[in-house]
Each structure stands twice: as C-alpha cells, then as structure tokens.
Amino acid sequence: MNAPYQMRESRVPSSRFGRLWQYGGLASSMAFGAVGEGLRRATGMRDGDGSSLILSAGNMDRLVAKLSRMRGAALKLGQMMSFQDSKMLPAPIQQVLQRVQDSADYMPASQRNKVLASNLGSDWRDLFETFDEMPMAAASIGQVHGAVLKSSRQRVAVKVQYPGVANSIDSDLNNLSILLTASRLLPKGLFLDKTIANARTELAWECDYIREAQACRKFQELLRNSKDIFTVPRIIDEASGLHVLTMERMEGIGVTKAQDMTQDEKDWIGSQILNLCLREMIEFKYMQTDPNWTNFLYNPSTRKLELLDFGASRDYPDKFIDPYIKLLLAASRSNRESCRDISIQLGYLTGNESPIMLEAHISSILTLAEPFRDDSAEIYDFQNQTITDRVKASIPVMIRERLSPPPEETYSLHRKLSGAFLLCARLGSRVRCREMFAVAMNKSGIERAATNTDR
C-alpha cells in the first residue's frame, strides 16, 4: 500500500526546450529501466512473470515522479484518463493514473513570486495581511495558497498558475502522444488522438483564470435560488489576473474525507450532487465537467455544499444536448429502438455496426440510465452499484468494433456522470433517482414533447 502523498518542491520546467528535454529524459530512463529489468530477469535476480518490461514497477515509479514534476498537460492528461477507459488500460498504467490524481510538486517561491508579480504587480504582498508560503494544495495547472486580505481581513484562497504551462499545451501533448505511441503503453483503438484533442481544449480553458472567474460568477447566478444548498465562492477581482485567481476561502472539508457522517447526511450529499449534475445537463446546459471529488466540500456547520474549481466549465450546444437528453429518456423507458435511432442521430453509431457492437452500445446506455429507469427501485442504493464497472466492461468491444469516434462532448459529460455515480457509491448514498429524473425532465418540457411525438 502506497504511503500518503507528500508534496515536494521542484522547479517547473517552463520553456518548451526544457519540457522537451524532460520528455526525452523520461523516454530514455524508461528504456534503460526496461533493459535493466530484462537483465534482472535473465540473471535470475527477479522472477520473470511474462509481464511487460516497459511496465515494470521501477518504470511506473519513474513515470509518476516525472508527471508530478512536469505538471501541466502531462499530469492533466493522466488525471483525465484516470476517470475513464480504465478497463482498457494495463493495470500498472491504471495504478499510475490513480496515483497522480492528487500528486503534483509545488514550485519554488522564486517562480511563484514572478507569477504573482506579473499578474498583480511588484507590490502584490501589499494586498494581503498574511500569505501562507506553503501551498495548501498543488495540482496539474497551479497551486493554492491560503491568505488574508488586507482590505477586509477576509480569508481567501489564492490560486497561482505554474509558469509556462499555458504556452506549452500543444508541444506537451504532442510529445506525450509520441511517447505513448512509441512505447506502446496504451492499447490500439483507444482513440488517443481524440482524448488528446479533448485535453488540449480543456487545458486551454483551465489555464485561463479570467474565463474561470466568469464561470464561477455564472454558477452563482444559476444557483441563486439554491443558496440553502450550495455555496459558490466570491471572486476577488483586485487580487486576480490571467494566471492568478483569488476567491473567498471555503471552510468545508472534502465530501469523501468527512468523518462520522450520518447515513442521512450521506444520502443528502449524494442526492444534491447528482441532482446538480442533472440540472447542469438538462436545465442549465452548462456543466462544471471536472469530476474530481475534491471539488465538493461539505460544511457541517452550515449544512451546505461548497463548490470549487470552475476551470473546466462548458456549455453544451442544443444540437447535442437535446438529443442526448432524449436518449437518456428512451433508456429510462428501456426503449432499445429509440436508443439506436437517437444514437445514429448523435453520431455514436453509423447504422452499419456489427450486432455485437450494437448490443454493447445500447446495453451501456441502458446501464448508465439504470438509476432513472421506470423499473428501478424508488430509492436507489449506490452502495453496491455496479454501473460504472458494467459500462467499462463494454468498452473493449466498443473500441474494437466502433466505426466512428463518439461526439467530443461525450468525453467530459460521461466523465462527470461517472464521477457523480462513483461519488454516490463512495458515500453509500441512497437517492430517489427516479423521482429526481422525472422532475428534471418535466421542467425541461422534453418528456412532454417526446410523448406528443410518440402519439
């Protein structure tokens, strides 16, 4: 069992050459690691179990350390892939992706101070009564420091982006694609090019802290009538810029880290998060798509959920989301024919798929909609749910048989839905999913329109 990750300080490679050098070093060290592993097996120093030399434990440790040190696109892509497609990934790679979800080194004070000065001015410290030198968290794009504003004495969180990350997205992802393809770390047919294209778009969004501030304000407006349930932090404009984002500090704790929660609290948290996911998809058509559980905090003193990290927020065009909602509605009614027809309309299917592909695709949709189906229990118990495992079990067939890649919107939407289901499962929440879905569909008017069309 791995020990809890301890943050380490390391300089962020900020130039394109410096980052290219790091990728070259990773490829070389993994190649030498494979040679060394082969020699150890050949000389009897280690049993040969037939497993890949490139996927040895030593190489996986090298990969984790390098991703954590590189940060940016490399670490973000690993985190994104850790929430999807695990059924198709070799076990050592999946373990690496799980380990890098919450691991990143933090940058030295000298690099951090340059970013703060370029965004807030050389006298940036005058904005704060206190500023914590050690970050409270370090992620793929930036690190977060606690501070107190001098003007109001308000506790705030200051997110500081790593230097060079925004300008190196394209080169990072191109280098990573070459490394993954050349080393054959990933299986064929995984649509790596589509995953990387999606990562390129989302990374550009997440590196734009002005866009994130706008998304945060939009959620404040969207949830203005749900202030008894959700708290969205206020943005501090005078202490924010393109690569620095300061906001009101939330006082809750991660929903999966809260201790001694009652079953009622677990049910309430799971219900509110899943309901928010449905509202984002059906009512708002605008979603915070990062499924990381650390983005949801629970404050037991206020009995509210506090929402964080709006960098990956996006809207979904009507031409995609309206048919997608109808697809979920058809699946909730176990209407396989409608599931097939709408899937063709959306581009999931061409109409020329093999029977095994058609069955795998429709079964995965029916499984995804299981909590909302007419024949599901009134209160769905997520504690023993197998939805995500059953959907993942279909992935090998779909990747082998699929004639066209899914719409790009699918990557973020399914990642968020899977994350919501897994969070409810982690909490052991019992949720009135059927009723929740019916209310959401009724508000949207889509169910009434579909009923009239059926007539």
Side-chain angles (χ1 to χ4, degrees), residues 73 101 116 149 155 158 199 202 209 213 259 265 280 282 336 355 359 365 386 401 405 414 428 452:
Q101 272 189 36
L116 286 162
L149 288 177
R155 281 161 52 86
V158 185
E202 291 190 16
Y209 284 177
Q259 301 293 319
E265 286 176 314
E280 288 175 311
I282 299 172
R336 301 177 72 90
E359 174 61 28
I365 296 171
T386 57
E401 300 283 335
H414 282 186
N452 292 334

Side-chain angles (χ1 to χ4, degrees), residues 13-24 70:
S14 56
S15 70
R16 291 189 180 183
F17 178 77
R19 297 183 74 81
L20 177 61
W21 180 267
Q22 292 288 331
Y23 282 110
M70 289 288 290

Side-chain angles (χ1 to χ4, degrees), residues 23-148:
Y23 282 110
L26 174 60
S28 299
S29 64
M30 291 185 70
F32 281 118
V35 171
E37 180 69 15
L39 288 173
R40 282 188 289 274
R41 294 182 188 182
T43 58
M45 295 175 64
R46 182 170 298 167
D47 292 337
D49 56 5
S51 60
S52 169
L53 297 177
I54 200 75
L55 298 179
S56 67
N59 267 352
M60 294 304 95
D61 287 339
R62 293 182 184 95
L63 188 56
V64 169
K66 185 65 72 174
L67 290 177
S68 298
R69 195 174 304 125
M70 289 288 290
R71 287 149 282 195
L75 185 56
K76 185 65 181 180
L77 183 64
Q79 291 171 340
M80 288 174 66
M81 292 179 67
S82 71
F83 285 98
Q84 59 186 15
D85 297 336
S86 62
K87 192 73 177 180
M88 280 297 293
L89 299 176
I93 289 291
Q94 179 61 16
Q95 291 166 11
V96 166
L97 298 182
Q98 291 293 335
R99 286 168 63 185
V100 301
Q101 272 189 36
D102 298 312
S103 68
D105 295 354
Y106 63 92
M107 59 183 152
S110 58
Q111 278 192 312
R112 179 204 68 205
N113 292 346
K114 286 182 180 178
V115 177
L116 286 162
S118 65
N119 281 263
L120 307 181
S122 57
D123 56 350
W124 64 269
R125 285 192 183 272
D126 292 344
L127 292 168
F128 305 104
E129 185 76 24
T130 62
F131 183 92
D132 296 344
E133 292 297 318
M134 176 67 71
M136 65 177 82
S140 57
I141 303 298
Q143 60 194 46
V144 183
H145 292 260
V148 175

Side-chain angles (χ1 to χ4, degrees), residues 213-406:
Q214 293 169 342
C216 186
R217 293 190 186 95
K218 182 163 185 172
F219 267 98
Q220 286 177 327
E221 176 62 20
L222 291 171
L223 297 172
R224 65 187 182 279
N225 295 324
S226 302
K227 292 182 179 179
D228 58 327
I229 300 172
F230 298 109
T231 299
V232 179
R234 184 174 67 88
I235 300 297
I236 311 300
D237 290 318
E238 62 268 26
S240 298
L242 181 60
H243 298 135
V244 174
L245 184 60
T246 300
M247 65 188 71
E248 171 188 7
R249 184 167 176 176
M250 299 288 94
E251 304 296 342
I253 52 178
V255 291
T256 60
K257 297 178 181 178
Q259 301 293 319
D260 302 321
M261 281 197 299
T262 66
Q263 186 61 47
D264 285 344
E265 286 176 314
K266 295 176 182 178
D267 295 345
W268 182 84
I269 291 171
S271 297
Q272 299 308 327
I273 290 176
L274 188 56
N275 190 46
L276 175 60
C277 193
L278 287 178
R279 291 186 69 191
E280 288 175 311
M281 179 171 55
I282 299 172
E283 181 183 343
F284 305 155
K285 300 181 182 179
Y286 186 80
M287 179 177 279
Q288 189 283 87
T289 65
D290 188 343
N292 197 317
W293 298 337
T294 59
N295 294 333
F296 301 97
L297 308 181
Y298 177 59
N299 191 325
S301 63
T302 62
R303 279 188 53 81
K304 292 182 183 181
L305 286 168
E306 299 169 346
L307 307 180
L308 301 174
D309 202 345
F310 299 91
S313 299
R314 62 165 296 172
D315 55 9
Y316 290 106
D318 291 342
K319 66 179 181 180
F320 168 78
I321 201 64
D322 287 348
Y324 187 89
I325 296 168
K326 292 177 182 177
L327 180 62
L328 272 185
L329 178 61
S332 73
R333 295 171 172 171
S334 300
N335 189 330
R336 301 177 72 90
E337 184 177 352
S338 290
C339 285
R340 182 201 63 207
D341 293 344
I342 299 172
S343 292
I344 292 175
Q345 177 188 349
L346 280 165
Y348 287 110
L349 302 174
T350 65
N352 298 313
E353 280 72 19
S354 64
I356 189 174
M357 169 62 196
L358 191 62
E359 174 61 28
H361 174 76
I362 293 177
S363 294
S364 68
I365 296 171
L366 294 177
T367 301
L368 189 66
E370 179 179 281
F372 313 121
R373 287 211 319 243
D374 294 339
D375 58 354
S376 284
E378 182 179 355
I379 299 177
Y380 192 89
D381 190 344
F382 278 92
Q383 186 160 14
N384 298 311
Q385 69 85 28
T386 57
I387 295 173
T388 48
D389 286 340
R390 281 180 283 149
V391 170
K392 287 176 181 177
S394 302
I395 289 176
V397 171
M398 290 192 286
I399 285 184
R400 186 177 69 247
E401 300 283 335
R402 187 180 292 282
L403 299 180
S404 62

Side-chain angles (χ1 to χ4, degrees), residues 85 173 208-209 260 408 447:
D85 297 336
L173 290 175
D208 186 347
Y209 284 177
D260 302 321
E408 68 87 12
E447 183 167 13

